[in-house]
Amino acid sequence: MTLSLGFSPCPNDTFIFDALVNNKIDTEGITVEPVLEDVQTLNEWAIKGKLDVTKISYGVLPLLLEKYLVLNAGGALGKGVGPLLITKQASANNKDVNEMTIAIPGENTTAHMLFSLAYPQAAKKKFMVFSAIEDAVLSGEVDAGVIIHENRFTYQQKGLHKLVDLGEYWERETGNPIPLGGIVIKKSFDSALQQKADRVIKRSLEYAFAHYPLITDYVKQHSQEMSESVMRQHIDLYVNNYSLQLGPDGKAAVNTFLDIYEQLKKVGANNKEIFLATAE
């Protein structure tokens, strides 16, 4: 069985999927056609049901519940891993945010949802690819930006300043780990295939963990402008036990996220099946 598999070229995703994509593990007869794109593109494709299995931002999950289930393995949740709101102006403070033009890494991203939770009155938003946000802030195209991924490790080197850690705000308000991104599979597949896909993704990550801190050529080729130390920082921050198994705490965090989405968007309660059943 061949499945299309979408994920980002960021080190956390290539680290997780390397062994699966490159047949370093028993795939139980599954072959994958990898499609590497930025997360906002993957979010937009997921709304259209383009890929069989794909990484998504939890911010877009409410729009996918007719088509996809969340797998237990391969996602990104945790504490201390949230997006940062940064600016060039060292004197700026929280009171200024509502009047600022803010760069956001995609409309349907978790970062946008967390920003909206922290700053519900902020309306001047500019959506762009996450990797362009630092330069947009530096050039003055925007007043501030929400950064994710490796930019967390580089913004200070560029003379930028943190206004607020949006993940800390989430943790303080909800007590839950931050649900950043998940792996979803089409509901149209039978349960046996869904479970098999979940197992081989988990096995792929277990293989990567067993060989860590090795950074493989596959990870390096998709992170060419990044030093190995930054790649490891990226992996250490975003890949953890929740990536192996979402578990009760992870599912509770996702459900809380969906509840807040309903409140912010003023939509009705979700009654759809969300998660792949845990195999007995």
Side-chain angles (χ1 to χ4, degrees):
M1 180 71 184
T2 299
L3 298 174
S4 54
L5 171 63
F7 54 94
S8 82
C10 295
N12 58 308
D13 283 351
T14 52
F15 178 79
I16 289 170
F17 292 110
D18 177 9
L20 171 56
V21 169
N22 294 300
N23 296 304
K24 298 177 182 179
I25 56 167
D26 175 11
T27 66
E28 300 184 37
I30 289 178
T31 58
V32 295
E33 293 177 351
V35 181
L36 279 67
E37 288 287 350
D38 70 274
V39 70
Q40 180 59 15
T41 298
L42 294 175
N43 288 340
E44 292 168 0
W45 286 358
I47 293 171
K48 299 173 183 175
K50 183 171 180 177
L51 299 175
D52 299 326
V53 182
T54 184
K55 173 78 172 281
I56 53 106
S57 301
Y58 277 114
V60 80
L61 182 61
L63 306 180
L64 306 180
L65 296 177
E66 297 285 351
K67 297 186 182 80
Y68 289 97
L69 283 174
V70 178
L71 295 182
N72 294 299
L77 292 90
K79 296 199 171 184
V81 299
L84 306 179
L85 179 64
I86 55 97
T87 181
K88 189 166 66 171
Q89 306 301 324
S91 60
N93 60 55
N94 262 329
K95 296 177 182 177
D96 303 322
V97 174
N98 287 343
E99 303 305 317
M100 290 179 169
T101 299
I102 311 291
I104 307 281
E107 185 171 5
N108 297 314
T109 57
T110 305
H112 183 208
M113 188 64 145
L114 294 178
F115 176 79
S116 299
L117 177 62
Y119 299 100
Q121 304 304 316
K124 300 175 184 177
K125 300 173 184 177
K126 187 163 186 174
F127 299 108
M128 59 180 65
V129 175
F130 81 91
S131 55
I133 289 177
E134 281 184 337
D135 286 342
V137 176
L138 285 167
S139 70
E141 179 183 349
V142 295
D143 302 310
V146 177
I147 57 168
I148 57 175
H149 299 323
E150 63 269 16
N151 298 123
R152 285 180 57 101
F153 313 120
T154 59
Y155 74 94
Q156 289 174 310
Q157 299 165 16
K158 297 181 179 181
L160 296 168
H161 307 276
K162 179 176 73 174
L163 268 174
V164 68
D165 185 322
L166 296 170
E168 286 180 0
Y169 182 88
W170 164 270
E171 292 174 42
R172 186 170 64 250
E173 292 295 307
T174 71
N176 288 307
I178 306 153
L180 296 174
I183 309 298
V184 296
I185 189 168
K186 283 187 173 177
K187 286 184 172 181
S188 57
F189 293 125
D190 65 55
S191 176
L193 179 58
Q194 292 169 346
Q195 294 286 351
K196 186 183 291 188
D198 196 46
R199 283 196 303 273
V200 298
I201 291 171
K202 183 178 181 182
R203 190 174 301 142
S204 183
L205 177 52
E206 287 172 336
Y207 182 96
F209 274 148
H211 294 82
Y212 194 62
L214 174 70
I215 300 292
T216 64
D217 289 342
Y218 186 72
V219 175
K220 290 177 186 175
Q221 78 183 65
H222 295 291
S223 307
Q224 293 176 356
E225 296 180 8
M226 218 181 287
S227 69
E228 283 197 24
S229 64
V230 172
M231 292 180 208
R232 290 192 182 92
Q233 282 180 287
H234 198 114
I235 292 164
D236 292 342
L237 187 65
Y238 295 116
V239 187
N240 53 33
N241 287 338
Y242 289 113
S243 306
L244 283 170
Q245 183 76 24
L246 195 54
D249 290 350
K251 290 179 179 178
V254 175
N255 279 321
T256 298
F257 191 89
L258 291 173
D259 290 343
I260 291 172
Y261 176 92
E262 289 165 8
Q263 294 165 20
L264 288 174
K265 300 290 186 180
K266 296 180 173 57
V267 295
N270 159 65
N271 297 310
K272 300 288 189 301
E273 189 179 11
I274 300 168
F275 305 104
L276 177 70
T278 304
E280 299 297 330

